[in-house]
Each structure stands twice: as structure tokens, then as C-alpha cells.
Amino acid sequence: MKKLVCLVMALVMVLAMATVASAEWKFERKIDIVCPWGVGGGADSTIRPMANLLREILGVEVEVVNVEGGSGVTGVEYAYKQPADGYTFMLGTQSLFLADLQGTTSMDFKTEFIPIVKLVHSINIIAGSKIALEEKGVTKFSELIDYINAHPFEVSVGMLTATGVDGLGLQQALEGLDVLEVPYSGGSEMSSALVGGHIDLMITGTDEIRGLIASGDIVPILSLSEQRMKLFPDVECSGELGIESYMAPWRAIFAKTGTPQEAIDALVAAVEEAVQTDTWQEFLVSAAYDEREGFSKGEELLALEESEYQVFTEYLDEQGVLVKNYYE
């Protein structure tokens, strides 16, 4: 009887070891990370340093595949056509959620792609024209609120897309204030207009206009963040003013639904190791991504996706451009 018990225990141990072994995943060939935007843009410049680190950690080639077009949709369609075999992943942002909800993807992005690890989470700011702010005698956002209330529709705000993340953040920050929205097709055009005093304000990412802020031509006046930014300690934040506006772009690696969980776990573990390196931490500081916690995974990341899908659904419905509603 004793021998039988020992034999059973030995078999259990062998089976347990076999289960652990089968749960391990080793990448045997090149990994592709699709970037749905062009070389040199913010998304591309985020994933390339991470790909270099993953290459060193995993010991296989990690290639960034830029497939631009359709505001990211072309890249999504390309990634969707690839096999879910653990060797193709994709970089994504909330702009893909917005595209999904507006019906521009051929599939239901929300169910066909899973965010597996978030890399960076930026902070948007409302910046003002030095010329315009001086003319109005405004030095901070709390003063601007009083000015707008006294001069409805006399303050102009530039923005790239009313149905994007920036548009939502702006709407939240300026809720109840009567301003004049001015659309622009490109960031450089909008920045030039702000520098020249042709518009009063714009919403943008900090990393995109640091040079113009350093020169004094553009003045940050509000950060859409819970606390004041280390980069701009004298600039008011939405949190301290009781303004419920914290929306800003974040970038995460997505996997196609059906990708082996072992492959996902292996990649996430490698990213988790990569974000601890001095190389990555230096990148975060240089790009002003160290202001807000970027890395997240698992249930925390899925909860963020779900929360923002709900917010975007309501926002696009208000704008009259919602095509797909996952919550009806």
C-alpha cells in the first residue's frame, strides 16, 4: 500500500511538472509588432525602443511593421489578417476604439483584439498663445474661466478632430464654457496659428510642443491630470480645479483574439522586464512620459479599456456619429 501511495505521488509530481513545462512558451522565430502609423510618429517612436529591448530579452528578432493609412485602420486590418499564432502583435491607442465605434473597421475591434500590456500614458495640456494671453491679461486657467464667462465665444480653441481623444478631453475641460472651436488638419499648422496669435488655445500632447514652450511662444495653462506635472510645476491641473478631465492618449500592445495565452504571458513578462531597464526609463523622461504611470496589464488594463469604451460611446453618440454600440 505504501509503495502504491508513493507511486501515485510520483505520477502526480510528473504530471504537475509536465503541466508547468507545457505552460512555458519560448519564441522560436521572428516576432512582428504591427504599428498602424508611419515611421517617426509618436506611436512608432514608442514601440521601436521597446522592440529593441524585447529583442535582447527574448533572443529573437522583433520587427516593427509600419502599415499606415486610414487613421490606423489599415494597420488594424493587416494585423487582423495575420494568424493568431503568437508571433504577430499590434501597437494600439484609443483612436482605434473610436474608429471601431464609428464603424470604420471591418470587424468588431473590441472583441477581436485584446490589450495585453500598456507601455505609456501621456498627459494632454491646454496651451495658450503668449500673444493672446497677454492681450487678455490671463496668466492661468482659473483666470481664463472668468474671462470666457465674461466674453462668450471670444476665445478660440484649435483642435485636430472633434471626435477623437483630444476632442473629448477638451469638451470635458471646457464644459459649460462658451468657446469657438477651430478645426485644423495638422498639428504643425495648428501650432503655427497659436504662435501667431490667430487662435487663443489648443489641446495637445506635451511632447509635441516642448520646443515651442521652451521658446516662450506657447504657454501651458492647464494639464489634464490628477496632479501638477513635474515638467510644469507652476501650471494648474484639472484635478486641483475640480475639473473631471484626465483623458489623454495611451499606447499598448494588443493581441488578436485566439493568440495562445502562453505567448501573451511570455511577451508581457518580457515587457515587464524591459520597462525596468535604464534605457526605457531614460526614454520615458526624454519623451515626457514619466509624468503618469504607463505600465499596466491584466485586469487593470482591461478595466481601463472598458471604461473608456463606455465614455467614447456616450461622447460619439452626443456628436451624432456613433455607428456601433456595444452597450445596447
Side-chain angles (χ1 to χ4, degrees):
M1 182 67 179
K2 187 176 180 180
K3 289 183 178 179
L4 179 60
V5 171
C6 290
L7 179 59
V8 170
M9 291 179 64
L11 286 172
V12 169
M13 290 178 65
V14 169
L15 288 171
M17 292 175 64
T19 301
V20 172
S22 65
E24 295 177 353
W25 179 280
K26 181 172 177 57
F27 292 102
E28 303 288 350
R29 55 185 172 83
K30 177 172 70 75
I31 300 168
D32 286 339
I33 302 180
V34 178
C35 177
W37 298 278
V39 175
D44 180 74
S45 63
T46 297
I47 194 58
R48 286 192 179 274
M50 176 54 66
N52 291 336
L53 291 168
L54 293 177
R55 189 178 298 116
E56 296 174 6
I57 293 168
L58 296 173
V60 296
E61 180 65 22
V62 179
E63 182 179 352
V64 177
V65 181
N66 296 89
V67 184
E68 57 185 306
S71 299
V73 174
T74 303
V76 171
E77 299 291 350
Y78 172 84
Y80 183 61
K81 293 175 183 176
Q82 308 310 306
D85 58 2
Y87 287 90
T88 300
F89 297 89
M90 184 184 70
L91 186 74
T93 73
Q94 304 109 303
S95 63
L96 302 181
F97 303 173
L98 290 157
D100 182 24
L101 293 171
Q102 292 176 80
T104 58
T105 57
S106 67
M107 84 299 294
D108 290 336
F109 180 84
K110 188 174 188 293
T111 56
E112 295 298 337
F113 286 91
I114 309 164
I116 60 172
V117 59
K118 180 160 66 72
L119 304 178
V120 297
H121 197 159
S122 63
I123 294 177
N124 268 348
I125 63 170
I126 293 180
S129 162
K130 179 184 178 182
I131 295 173
L133 293 180
E134 288 180 349
E135 286 178 352
K136 293 173 173 54
V138 169
T139 60
K140 55 185 179 179
F141 193 77
S142 50
E143 294 175 352
L144 179 67
I145 293 174
D146 294 336
Y147 184 91
I148 294 173
N149 284 327
H151 304 83
F153 298 110
E154 290 186 17
V155 172
S156 56
V157 183
M159 58 188 302
L160 294 180
T161 170
T163 55
V165 177
D166 291 353
L168 174 55
L170 185 67
Q171 182 197 54
Q172 292 172 333
L174 301 179
E175 186 175 5
L177 300 175
D178 295 324
V179 297
L180 178 64
E181 295 181 4
V182 182
Y184 286 90
S185 58
S188 58
E189 179 189 9
M190 183 168 64
S191 296
S192 297
L194 193 69
V195 170
H198 305 299
I199 54 173
D200 301 314
L201 307 169
M202 75 175 185
I203 185 167
T204 181
T206 2
D207 53 325
E208 299 169 28
I209 57 167
R210 288 184 71 175
L212 292 172
I213 292 175
S215 68
D217 294 312
I218 290 178
V219 181
I221 196 167
L222 181 73
S223 67
L224 304 186
S225 56
E226 298 79 1
Q227 299 175 343
R228 291 196 181 195
M229 297 176 67
K230 294 178 290 184
L231 189 62
F232 308 124
D234 298 326
V235 174
E236 293 174 324
C237 67
S238 53
E240 70 183 281
L241 297 180
I243 298 171
E244 292 293 323
S245 179
Y246 309 109
M247 188 67 67
W250 48 264
R251 299 182 182 118
I253 296 176
F254 287 70
K256 186 178 175 182
T257 299
T259 300
Q261 188 60 47
E262 297 86 356
I264 291 174
D265 292 343
L267 188 73
V268 171
V271 171
E272 196 159 10
E273 181 178 341
V275 299
Q276 303 301 321
T277 64
D278 291 342
T279 301
W280 184 255
Q281 293 301 314
E282 289 166 4
F283 161 72
L284 294 180
V285 172
S286 67
Y289 290 138
D290 61 325
E291 298 279 357
R292 176 178 276 163
E293 180 61 39
F295 178 86
S296 70
K297 61 178 182 176
E299 293 301 321
E300 179 184 4
L301 179 54
L302 292 174
L304 175 63
E305 178 194 43
E306 182 65 20
S307 171
E308 295 203 347
Y309 250 104
Q310 292 179 12
V311 171
F312 291 144
T313 296
E314 182 179 342
Y315 174 62
L316 294 177
D317 192 28
E318 292 174 355
Q319 299 295 314
V321 294
L322 181 68
V323 172
K324 190 184 300 180
N325 192 335
Y326 290 102
Y327 305 102
E328 287 184 334

